[in-house]
Each structure stands twice: as structure tokens, then as C-alpha cells.
Amino acid sequence: MKFERREAPYIRPANSVSLVMLQVLVALVPAVAAHVWFFGAGILYNIVVAVIFCAGAEALVMRARGRAPAEALADGSAIVAAVLLAFALPSLTPWWVTATGAVFAMVVAKHLYGGLGYNLFNPAMAGYVVILIAFPADMALWVAPRMGDLDYQHLNALQTLWFTLSGELPSAMSFDTVSRATPLDLMKTGLAGMQTAAEIRAEPLMGDFGGRGWEWIGNFIAIGGIGLMLRKVIRWHIPVGVGIGLLVPATIMYMIDAGSHASPGFHLFSGATLLCAFFIATDPVSAATSTTGRLIYGIGIGLLIYAIRRFGAYADGVAFAVLTMNMLVPLIDRYTRPPIVGHGPEQPG
Amino acid sequence: MTAPTYDLGTLHGGLRLDPHKTESTAARLQQMPVPAQLVLPLTQHVGEPAQPLVGAGDVVLKGQPIAAAGTALGAPVHAPTSGRVLAIEPWPVSRRHGDPAPAIVIESDGLDQAMPIIPGALSYQEYSPEALRAHILDGGIVGLGGAVFPTAQKLAQAVSGPLDMLILNGVECEPYISCDDMLMREHADRVVSGARILLHAIDVERCFIAVESDKPEALLAMAEALGRAADERLILKQVPTIYPSGGEDQLVQLVTNREVPTGGLPSDVGCVVQNVGTAAAVDDWVSRQEPLISRVTTITGPGIAQPMNVEVRIGTRVADLAAFAGGYTDQAAQLIIGGAMTGKSMSTDEVPIVKASNCILLLPAPPPQGPELPCIRCGDCASVCPVRLLPQQLHWYYAADDEAQLREHGLLDCIECGCCDLVCPSAIPLTASFRRAKGRIRELEDEKARAARARRRFENRQQRLATEREERNAELRRQKDNAKRAGPDAIAEIMQRKQRTTDDRKDDLDDDPNDNRDPKP
Ligand code: SF4
Ligand code: SF4
């Protein structure tokens, strides 16, 4: 009898890139739901816009590169990038702002570098930074969280949709009445205005650790992230690294002078810290590859986040921190090569 | 030398694979009757082919040597039963994935008549270690774990180093294979006896018998056999069930916590590893004058009706063995000899069981697979690599065909275990690329060595020619001087002779291209 020859191993991998991406998306569901609960339907519209433009841009680039769009779209990485980008945006964001970031993320950050696997920078963060620079005013439009005792005007789902499409508020509302500074903004301007951290923390927008609502979303992000760790989709090194890098300086400064420094808990639960630790910095393509390398990479991101929040011009520093560390990845990889078994301890690492 | 350490080490990475062992261990060890025809390939070991000692038409007895060890790494071949030699001809062999290679074909006479036992043979203690090793070679014994390195030569190589222990490998970490498990369950005494003979052959006082934790029956049987032998040099060690703990270097690391240096052998850290099946074969030969003519083989997988372990004569065609095991099911689409991770894929079941054939695996056609995607640098491959390589980097340099970086990143340390393939979400055939790249580097090395040899020969030749020319000229000059004194006749004669030598030299130059080509690497 004749048989077909193949190459060993004859057992095939059970894992696939699209499975990884799917699990990441599923892990984000609780956090998105919480976001909708506290800040309205805006994030859903942002996700839809980002997905349409990321997928569309990727399809066009693939066509321009002479390859089938389905080849790239099937792995789902563009959708993950789109959702992460949308997650970083205020819930009131006009569609062209989101679209600009999405197209930049796909065309420049991803495909100009060669597509999946070759991109140096995290596409979502690259797209976000472009938005931040091109549309700074739009990035300040955060609505207040929907908590019973906070009496701010809220847009309903239809009004939010209208804003996403046109960039205009209903005639009865103004930006002053719907938008509020983010907790990190409050902290930054407050500290600059000689308020003590404790006074700032007493503001009605503040919760137990970070901003109200915000910290709840943070909890759900962490739940999703820990789920990914348990399923071994991500490993602990990067999230722990980010935590160490951010919390160690935050704790030291807080202990030295609690009056003019936010608490470590505030840093952990504010802004995009947790999203970064579990979902953004863990993007394998733009992260370091060895375990030691990943720890270093994570710590670097954490330190930079702290430094930017404390000394930089922006209230949050996640995107800049991630992009900076992206650039250092080749260097980190170079110096954290694990010693090959049998090469002895004296071999370079 | 490393100080002797006996603590268990750990393996980096590795995988817990679906074992698939119970299919073939449910039934007891079966005996397969001698088939009508047996095919004995001349190469069943790592070295050069064995030299046939018989010709077509010769009558042979069971256990009679029919081919002698070819070169230093060769091993003899024995007739697995009595009968007549039909031919020595190319036959599909497993070593070449079903492509043909020279083999001795024997037709059984159905009598299975053995060579007469030599009376008064020595017991193993009466041999010197060296003589015992030579005797082991005569039994045709090679490593039965699949590597088929001739046992005697491996032992000889090991004793030249700082050897302090023998490790018996009873770790079958690859899915599906269970022949060693079954052998230990049913023939533990042979294994123990073989271990003691091997200890004598290398003159060391310590033997670890490593068995995986998922083989409780084998562990129990071995423990009982060790109790009967009451030899405190032999120690049973349970090792964790993780693939690839049965790899030679990995096992050394697990059992002794010593790292085999790159490019080195276990003997560099004082160990020599032998498969438990090899130990049993040594016992058969040294204690009972039965050379290596049969082995335990697992035949299993969804493609076979009755998965089982069979004691089968070397030379039995896989087709015959499959018929004995109830025939193929309609799932049989791939025939693999060896395990599901590192085995060889065959084109035909005409290939015979050889000394290396530990497992005949019949797998269904592989499920359709997604396209190969670019590496997403997830690092999963690196985290499972038992040698702590970075397969993602190796693959990158493989694609770039960068030999220097491939070496620098340890390509030659890759044991081709396949772990990296199994976890790669991008479905990159990493192991296959590494196998190819290693082959390419080895070829380049051979070529370089060949070129160097050729150059050396060319230079030697030039040197020789120059000296000869020198000598001839000197001779001519001398004769000319003589002739000058002797007169014109002598000069004419000398001129003639000179013409002849020039022609000779031309012939020499004509051979040169031939001389540059080396017939044998
Ligand atoms: S095949 Fe080679 S590179 Fe891959 S895991 Fe095994 S040893 Fe490492
Ligand atoms: S497992 Fe595959 S995708 Fe992941 S780093 Fe290794 S080669 Fe790249």
C-alpha cells in the first residue's frame, strides 16, 4: 500500500493567530460593557468606526501590495487594533478623528513596516498619538461618568450617535455642561495649581482609588486580562513589569510627600494603565520576546508612564511610553537572549 | 570534569502531549509468527553498509551472520530465521522513507532452525571490559531507541572519557510509542541483567534506570526485578512525564542535573545512555547467544485495527505486521515509523522492520490547516524549546539564509523535537526549516572539508612533481655532462629520453582534474 509522505512533527498546532485575537476580543467584552454603563454608548460607535476604517484601510493596502485582503483580515489583528484604539478615545469622538487614527495605524504603523509581525510600533498607540497631536481639542471631550449623584447632563444613545456623525452637540447642551476633565487631568492641573493631592481626591469625580466609574472599568479590564493569563494567551511578565515600573516610583514619591503626589492606587486605576498593562503592552509583535526582555520592557513602560504623568505635558503617558519602548525592543532582545542549554554559564546571555 | 552530582535536574520548556499510549498497552505483548519472507537492509545502523557474507541461493540458519560490519561505526546483520537467500537487491527502506537501498531477501523455510549453541561459552564476568565490548559488537547490537548507534562503539567512545555512570533510558516521551513500557512490564529481568552486563563492559559502578512517572506498571516491574537482582549499583529513577525528556541530552540533564556541552556527547559529562531495549538485547546475546534478530515494536494509531506491542523478527515487512495487527482501518492515510513528533513518514508499507523500528504509527490524513502566517513574535516557541533556543529568531535567519547568525543562535544545538511547531499560532513549519538548514550547513561543511582535502592533495602532488622534475633535470644535467665528454651519439640518446619524460609530465597533468575529485567524502 502507498502512503503520503509528510514532514515531522505529525501533530498539528491547536493554536492560531485568529484564535489568539478572538480571545483578546472576548476578554475585552466586560470592560466595554462597563464603559457603556458609565460613559454611554459612545465607545460602541467608536469601535464601529475604528473597525470599519482599520479593516477598510488594511484591505486597500493589501490590494495595493498585490495580495488578497482576506489573507490579512482573517487573522483578526486589525480588529483588535481597532478596538484598542477605540478604547483609548473619549466616548464623544467625531468619526473623522477615529478614522484618521485607524487609517494611520493600519497604513503607516502596520503595513508600511511590512504588515503583521513586522511592525515596530504598536499600531493602536501610533494611531492614538497621531490623533492626540492632530486633534488635541477633541481628545479633551470626556463626559462625566453616569453615577446617580453626579448631576451632569448626559447624552442619550441617539444624541451620542449624532455627535459621532456630525461632531455637534444637541442645541440645548454645550461642551461645558457635558464634558468633564479626566481624573488624571484634574490631578495634573490641581497639583500645578497648588492644591494638595488629598484636596483633589475629595472632588466628586474621584472614587476610592482613581476616578469614579473609571476604576470600575479598570476592574473589568483586569478581570479580562487575568483571564487571558490563565488561558496562557498572555504571560505575566509584561503586566507585572508595567505594574512594578509605575508603582515603585509612585509609592516612593507618595511616601516622601503625600501632599503633592497622587497615590499608587490612583496611578494604577487611572487613565489607561490597566488597559496598557494587560492589552496594549502585551501585543507580542511590538514587545520584547524573551521573558527577561518582557519584564524589562514592561518596567520601562511603567516608569515612562509615571515620568510623563508627573513631568510631561500630557496628563497620561501610556501611548508615548509604549511607543518609546517599542523602539528599544531590538536592543532589549539583543541583550536578553537566554543562554542556550549546553553552552555553559560563561556564554553571553 | 564535573563533580559527580546525582540530584534530579529540570528541563527547560517541553510539552505535555496527549500520550495515546493506552491504545497499544491494553493487550499483552504479542508474538508474531515468522513471515514467509524477510528483508534485511544492509544499513541498519549509523555507519557504512554491512558487507554481505552470503549470496543468492545460500541456505542460512537463524542467528547466522549474513553481513559483516562495514566500517568503524558498522554492525553485523544476522539471519532472523532459517531459510534461503533469494536475492541481494534494492528494497524500500525506512531509513530512506520508502526509497530503495540494498537488502538481503530471505525466504523462510518455516523450520526456524537456530545455529547450534557453542558449548562452554564464557559468562560475561569472565570477559575483560574491552573483550566484552567486542563481543557485544558481534551480536549486531545497536541502540534500539531509534538512533541505532552501534552499542559497542558507543561504549568504547564513552570509556575514553571521564565516565562515571550508565543511564538506561526507559523514557518513551513521544506520543503513541509504548514498546519500552511493554518490554519493562514483561521482561524486566532481561533489562536488569543487560544493565549489569553493560556496567561490566564499561567498568563503572553506577546505573540509573530512568522511567517516566506515567508508567506505573513498568516502574513496579522494574522495582521487583531490581529487588530480585539485589545489585545496589542499579537505581530506579522516576522522571517527570514531559516531552522530550527521553532525548539523550535531556535525560542526562533530568537524571544528573548535568548539561551536555554543545556539540558534545553525554560522555563529556560522565554519562553513557542506553535504551532499555538495547540492554535486553545485550542480555539475549551475552547470556543466551541470541543475536539481535527480533525486537518489540508498537503498532498503533487510528489507522490500525488492533493496536498492540509485538515481538517481531527484524526484516518483517510492515505490510505483514499490519495484517497481523488486524489490518488497516479506513483512517490509515499516513505511515510513520517512529513517533508522532520525530518519526519518519513512509511512502510504502513494503519497508521492513529494522533494528531502529520502535513504532509503526498509522495516522489519518492531517486536518486542513490555516495558511502559514508571519511570526507574531509571541515567544511561545522559545518558552517550550528544551534547548532554550529562540526558534522565532532562527526562523528569521533561515528565511534570510544567514548561516553565520543561524550558527550564532544555536541552530546546530536544535534537537528537532518539534515542540516549537506545536505551539506556533502562525503555523510556521519551524522544525522542518531547521532540519533543512542543518542539512545545508552540514553539506557546506562536508564540501569545505572535501575542498580542503583536495587542495592538500593537489599541493602535495605539485610538490611531488616539482621534486621529480628537479631530480630529472639534475639527472639530465649529469648525463649531459657525461655525454659532452662521451660524444654526439650519447647526446642524441639523451635528447630522446628527455622528450619521453616531457610526455610523461603531460600525462600527469591530464590526470589532475580527476585527482581533485574525491570519490568518498
Ligand atoms: S525543534 Fe529545535 S528549536 Fe524547536 S523546540 Fe525543538 S530544539 Fe527547540
Ligand atoms: S511561536 Fe510562531 S509566531 Fe510565536 S514567536 Fe514562535 S515562530 Fe513566532
Side-chain angles (χ1 to χ4, degrees), chain A residues 205-226:
Chain A
L205 274 171
M206 295 293 186
D208 298 329
F209 294 104
R212 297 177 67 180
W214 296 88
E215 53 193 17
W216 276 103
I217 297 173
N219 286 340
F220 285 105
I221 289 172
I223 288 173
I226 289 166

PDB file of all heavy atoms in Angstrom, chain A residues 205-226:
ATOM      1  N   LEU A 205     -15.732  63.826  41.432  1.00  0.00           N
ATOM      2  CA  LEU A 205     -15.434  62.896  40.344  1.00  0.00           C
ATOM      3  C   LEU A 205     -14.552  61.741  40.787  1.00  0.00           C
ATOM      4  O   LEU A 205     -14.390  60.753  40.081  1.00  0.00           O
ATOM      5  CB  LEU A 205     -14.720  63.638  39.202  1.00  0.00           C
ATOM      6  CG  LEU A 205     -15.616  64.315  38.179  1.00  0.00           C
ATOM      7  CD1 LEU A 205     -14.787  65.183  37.254  1.00  0.00           C
ATOM      8  CD2 LEU A 205     -16.421  63.303  37.398  1.00  0.00           C
ATOM      9  N   MET A 206     -13.925  61.891  41.954  1.00  0.00           N
ATOM     10  CA  MET A 206     -12.957  60.885  42.388  1.00  0.00           C
ATOM     11  C   MET A 206     -13.640  59.763  43.154  1.00  0.00           C
ATOM     12  O   MET A 206     -14.565  59.982  43.930  1.00  0.00           O
ATOM     13  CB  MET A 206     -11.889  61.536  43.276  1.00  0.00           C
ATOM     14  CG  MET A 206     -11.037  62.545  42.527  1.00  0.00           C
ATOM     15  SD  MET A 206     -10.026  61.723  41.276  1.00  0.00           S
ATOM     16  CE  MET A 206      -9.049  63.119  40.719  1.00  0.00           C
ATOM     17  N   GLY A 207     -13.131  58.547  42.943  1.00  0.00           N
ATOM     18  CA  GLY A 207     -13.675  57.393  43.652  1.00  0.00           C
ATOM     19  C   GLY A 207     -12.714  56.907  44.709  1.00  0.00           C
ATOM     20  O   GLY A 207     -11.971  57.694  45.293  1.00  0.00           O
ATOM     21  N   ASP A 208     -12.731  55.590  44.944  1.00  0.00           N
ATOM     22  CA  ASP A 208     -11.900  55.025  46.008  1.00  0.00           C
ATOM     23  C   ASP A 208     -10.412  55.129  45.703  1.00  0.00           C
ATOM     24  O   ASP A 208      -9.603  55.421  46.564  1.00  0.00           O
ATOM     25  CB  ASP A 208     -12.268  53.558  46.223  1.00  0.00           C
ATOM     26  CG  ASP A 208     -13.721  53.439  46.657  1.00  0.00           C
ATOM     27  OD1 ASP A 208     -14.201  54.385  47.318  1.00  0.00           O
ATOM     28  OD2 ASP A 208     -14.366  52.419  46.330  1.00  0.00           O
ATOM     29  N   PHE A 209     -10.059  54.835  44.465  1.00  0.00           N
ATOM     30  CA  PHE A 209      -8.644  54.880  44.079  1.00  0.00           C
ATOM     31  C   PHE A 209      -8.415  55.912  42.988  1.00  0.00           C
ATOM     32  O   PHE A 209      -7.616  56.806  43.110  1.00  0.00           O
ATOM     33  CB  PHE A 209      -8.168  53.513  43.572  1.00  0.00           C
ATOM     34  CG  PHE A 209      -8.164  52.473  44.629  1.00  0.00           C
ATOM     35  CD1 PHE A 209      -9.157  51.512  44.672  1.00  0.00           C
ATOM     36  CD2 PHE A 209      -7.159  52.467  45.590  1.00  0.00           C
ATOM     37  CE1 PHE A 209      -9.143  50.541  45.654  1.00  0.00           C
ATOM     38  CE2 PHE A 209      -7.148  51.507  46.579  1.00  0.00           C
ATOM     39  CZ  PHE A 209      -8.142  50.531  46.623  1.00  0.00           C
ATOM     40  N   GLY A 210      -9.150  55.726  41.882  1.00  0.00           N
ATOM     41  CA  GLY A 210      -8.996  56.639  40.757  1.00  0.00           C
ATOM     42  C   GLY A 210     -10.268  57.445  40.620  1.00  0.00           C
ATOM     43  O   GLY A 210     -10.936  57.764  41.604  1.00  0.00           O
ATOM     44  N   GLY A 211     -10.647  57.717  39.340  1.00  0.00           N
ATOM     45  CA  GLY A 211     -11.887  58.439  39.135  1.00  0.00           C
ATOM     46  C   GLY A 211     -13.071  57.503  39.307  1.00  0.00           C
ATOM     47  O   GLY A 211     -12.951  56.282  39.138  1.00  0.00           O
ATOM     48  N   ARG A 212     -14.218  58.012  39.648  1.00  0.00           N
ATOM     49  CA  ARG A 212     -15.397  57.163  39.766  1.00  0.00           C
ATOM     50  C   ARG A 212     -15.760  56.637  38.388  1.00  0.00           C
ATOM     51  O   ARG A 212     -15.616  57.338  37.402  1.00  0.00           O
ATOM     52  CB  ARG A 212     -16.547  57.948  40.377  1.00  0.00           C
ATOM     53  CG  ARG A 212     -16.228  58.386  41.774  1.00  0.00           C
ATOM     54  CD  ARG A 212     -17.320  59.216  42.357  1.00  0.00           C
ATOM     55  NE  ARG A 212     -18.548  58.433  42.559  1.00  0.00           N
ATOM     56  CZ  ARG A 212     -19.661  58.977  43.083  1.00  0.00           C
ATOM     57  NH1 ARG A 212     -19.700  60.249  43.411  1.00  0.00           N
ATOM     58  NH2 ARG A 212     -20.722  58.244  43.266  1.00  0.00           N
ATOM     59  N   GLY A 213     -16.258  55.464  38.325  1.00  0.00           N
ATOM     60  CA  GLY A 213     -16.546  54.861  37.026  1.00  0.00           C
ATOM     61  C   GLY A 213     -15.276  54.312  36.402  1.00  0.00           C
ATOM     62  O   GLY A 213     -15.179  53.132  36.102  1.00  0.00           O
ATOM     63  N   TRP A 214     -14.280  55.153  36.277  1.00  0.00           N
ATOM     64  CA  TRP A 214     -13.008  54.729  35.686  1.00  0.00           C
ATOM     65  C   TRP A 214     -12.452  53.505  36.394  1.00  0.00           C
ATOM     66  O   TRP A 214     -12.009  52.557  35.779  1.00  0.00           O
ATOM     67  CB  TRP A 214     -11.962  55.851  35.798  1.00  0.00           C
ATOM     68  CG  TRP A 214     -12.311  57.068  35.035  1.00  0.00           C
ATOM     69  CD1 TRP A 214     -13.059  58.119  35.466  1.00  0.00           C
ATOM     70  CD2 TRP A 214     -11.913  57.375  33.700  1.00  0.00           C
ATOM     71  NE1 TRP A 214     -13.168  59.070  34.498  1.00  0.00           N
ATOM     72  CE2 TRP A 214     -12.459  58.642  33.398  1.00  0.00           C
ATOM     73  CE3 TRP A 214     -11.143  56.714  32.741  1.00  0.00           C
ATOM     74  CZ2 TRP A 214     -12.266  59.249  32.172  1.00  0.00           C
ATOM     75  CZ3 TRP A 214     -10.943  57.323  31.527  1.00  0.00           C
ATOM     76  CH2 TRP A 214     -11.518  58.585  31.243  1.00  0.00           C
ATOM     77  N   GLU A 215     -12.473  53.584  37.711  1.00  0.00           N
ATOM     78  CA  GLU A 215     -11.845  52.483  38.442  1.00  0.00           C
ATOM     79  C   GLU A 215     -12.631  51.182  38.252  1.00  0.00           C
ATOM     80  O   GLU A 215     -12.065  50.104  38.261  1.00  0.00           O
ATOM     81  CB  GLU A 215     -11.694  52.824  39.923  1.00  0.00           C
ATOM     82  CG  GLU A 215     -12.976  53.274  40.573  1.00  0.00           C
ATOM     83  CD  GLU A 215     -12.717  53.900  41.951  1.00  0.00           C
ATOM     84  OE1 GLU A 215     -11.561  54.249  42.227  1.00  0.00           O
ATOM     85  OE2 GLU A 215     -13.677  54.030  42.730  1.00  0.00           O
ATOM     86  N   TRP A 216     -13.947  51.317  38.051  1.00  0.00           N
ATOM     87  CA  TRP A 216     -14.725  50.111  37.787  1.00  0.00           C
ATOM     88  C   TRP A 216     -14.356  49.501  36.438  1.00  0.00           C
ATOM     89  O   TRP A 216     -14.215  48.288  36.316  1.00  0.00           O
ATOM     90  CB  TRP A 216     -16.217  50.419  37.840  1.00  0.00           C
ATOM     91  CG  TRP A 216     -16.691  50.367  39.251  1.00  0.00           C
ATOM     92  CD1 TRP A 216     -16.970  51.428  40.061  1.00  0.00           C
ATOM     93  CD2 TRP A 216     -16.870  49.184  40.027  1.00  0.00           C
ATOM     94  NE1 TRP A 216     -17.320  50.989  41.302  1.00  0.00           N
ATOM     95  CE2 TRP A 216     -17.274  49.604  41.315  1.00  0.00           C
ATOM     96  CE3 TRP A 216     -16.724  47.827  39.766  1.00  0.00           C
ATOM     97  CZ2 TRP A 216     -17.545  48.700  42.337  1.00  0.00           C
ATOM     98  CZ3 TRP A 216     -16.998  46.931  40.782  1.00  0.00           C
ATOM     99  CH2 TRP A 216     -17.409  47.370  42.058  1.00  0.00           C
ATOM    100  N   ILE A 217     -14.216  50.358  35.468  1.00  0.00           N
ATOM    101  CA  ILE A 217     -13.794  49.840  34.159  1.00  0.00           C
ATOM    102  C   ILE A 217     -12.440  49.148  34.303  1.00  0.00           C
ATOM    103  O   ILE A 217     -12.196  48.073  33.755  1.00  0.00           O
ATOM    104  CB  ILE A 217     -13.728  50.976  33.120  1.00  0.00           C
ATOM    105  CG1 ILE A 217     -15.124  51.571  32.931  1.00  0.00           C
ATOM    106  CG2 ILE A 217     -13.169  50.472  31.800  1.00  0.00           C
ATOM    107  CD1 ILE A 217     -15.152  52.810  32.066  1.00  0.00           C
ATOM    108  N   GLY A 218     -11.580  49.774  35.110  1.00  0.00           N
ATOM    109  CA  GLY A 218     -10.266  49.171  35.375  1.00  0.00           C
ATOM    110  C   GLY A 218     -10.392  47.766  35.929  1.00  0.00           C
ATOM    111  O   GLY A 218      -9.697  46.844  35.501  1.00  0.00           O
ATOM    112  N   ASN A 219     -11.322  47.596  36.857  1.00  0.00           N
ATOM    113  CA  ASN A 219     -11.519  46.251  37.413  1.00  0.00           C
ATOM    114  C   ASN A 219     -11.865  45.245  36.338  1.00  0.00           C
ATOM    115  O   ASN A 219     -11.356  44.125  36.313  1.00  0.00           O
ATOM    116  CB  ASN A 219     -12.662  46.270  38.441  1.00  0.00           C
ATOM    117  CG  ASN A 219     -12.244  46.936  39.731  1.00  0.00           C
ATOM    118  OD1 ASN A 219     -11.042  47.052  40.003  1.00  0.00           O
ATOM    119  ND2 ASN A 219     -13.205  47.405  40.498  1.00  0.00           N
ATOM    120  N   PHE A 220     -12.757  45.669  35.431  1.00  0.00           N
ATOM    121  CA  PHE A 220     -13.173  44.716  34.396  1.00  0.00           C
ATOM    122  C   PHE A 220     -12.056  44.447  33.390  1.00  0.00           C
ATOM    123  O   PHE A 220     -11.960  43.346  32.849  1.00  0.00           O
ATOM    124  CB  PHE A 220     -14.443  45.215  33.694  1.00  0.00           C
ATOM    125  CG  PHE A 220     -15.663  45.029  34.546  1.00  0.00           C
ATOM    126  CD1 PHE A 220     -16.269  46.106  35.183  1.00  0.00           C
ATOM    127  CD2 PHE A 220     -16.185  43.765  34.742  1.00  0.00           C
ATOM    128  CE1 PHE A 220     -17.378  45.922  35.981  1.00  0.00           C
ATOM    129  CE2 PHE A 220     -17.299  43.569  35.545  1.00  0.00           C
ATOM    130  CZ  PHE A 220     -17.902  44.660  36.173  1.00  0.00           C
ATOM    131  N   ILE A 221     -11.233  45.466  33.155  1.00  0.00           N
ATOM    132  CA  ILE A 221     -10.078  45.219  32.281  1.00  0.00           C
ATOM    133  C   ILE A 221      -9.168  44.179  32.928  1.00  0.00           C
ATOM    134  O   ILE A 221      -8.707  43.235  32.283  1.00  0.00           O
ATOM    135  CB  ILE A 221      -9.297  46.523  32.026  1.00  0.00           C
ATOM    136  CG1 ILE A 221     -10.117  47.447  31.125  1.00  0.00           C
ATOM    137  CG2 ILE A 221      -7.944  46.227  31.391  1.00  0.00           C
ATOM    138  CD1 ILE A 221      -9.519  48.832  30.962  1.00  0.00           C
ATOM    139  N   ALA A 222      -8.955  44.358  34.236  1.00  0.00           N
ATOM    140  CA  ALA A 222      -8.075  43.414  34.937  1.00  0.00           C
ATOM    141  C   ALA A 222      -8.654  42.003  34.905  1.00  0.00           C
ATOM    142  O   ALA A 222      -7.919  41.024  34.716  1.00  0.00           O
ATOM    143  CB  ALA A 222      -7.860  43.871  36.372  1.00  0.00           C
ATOM    144  N   ILE A 223      -9.962  41.903  35.061  1.00  0.00           N
ATOM    145  CA  ILE A 223     -10.575  40.567  35.013  1.00  0.00           C
ATOM    146  C   ILE A 223     -10.313  39.921  33.652  1.00  0.00           C
ATOM    147  O   ILE A 223      -9.875  38.770  33.559  1.00  0.00           O
ATOM    148  CB  ILE A 223     -12.092  40.654  35.282  1.00  0.00           C
ATOM    149  CG1 ILE A 223     -12.324  40.961  36.761  1.00  0.00           C
ATOM    150  CG2 ILE A 223     -12.798  39.354  34.879  1.00  0.00           C
ATOM    151  CD1 ILE A 223     -13.775  41.242  37.113  1.00  0.00           C
ATOM    152  N   GLY A 224     -10.546  40.697  32.588  1.00  0.00           N
ATOM    153  CA  GLY A 224     -10.283  40.157  31.243  1.00  0.00           C
ATOM    154  C   GLY A 224      -8.827  39.782  31.077  1.00  0.00           C
ATOM    155  O   GLY A 224      -8.491  38.723  30.527  1.00  0.00           O
ATOM    156  N   GLY A 225      -7.939  40.645  31.572  1.00  0.00           N
ATOM    157  CA  GLY A 225      -6.502  40.401  31.427  1.00  0.00           C
ATOM    158  C   GLY A 225      -6.068  39.166  32.183  1.00  0.00           C
ATOM    159  O   GLY A 225      -5.288  38.347  31.673  1.00  0.00           O
ATOM    160  N   ILE A 226      -6.584  39.008  33.410  1.00  0.00           N
ATOM    161  CA  ILE A 226      -6.208  37.825  34.181  1.00  0.00           C
ATOM    162  C   ILE A 226      -6.750  36.568  33.499  1.00  0.00           C
ATOM    163  O   ILE A 226      -6.093  35.530  33.449  1.00  0.00           O
ATOM    164  CB  ILE A 226      -6.694  37.957  35.639  1.00  0.00           C
ATOM    165  CG1 ILE A 226      -5.838  39.021  36.323  1.00  0.00           C
ATOM    166  CG2 ILE A 226      -6.592  36.634  36.381  1.00  0.00           C
ATOM    167  CD1 ILE A 226      -6.387  39.520  37.637  1.00  0.00           C
TER     168      ILE A 226
END
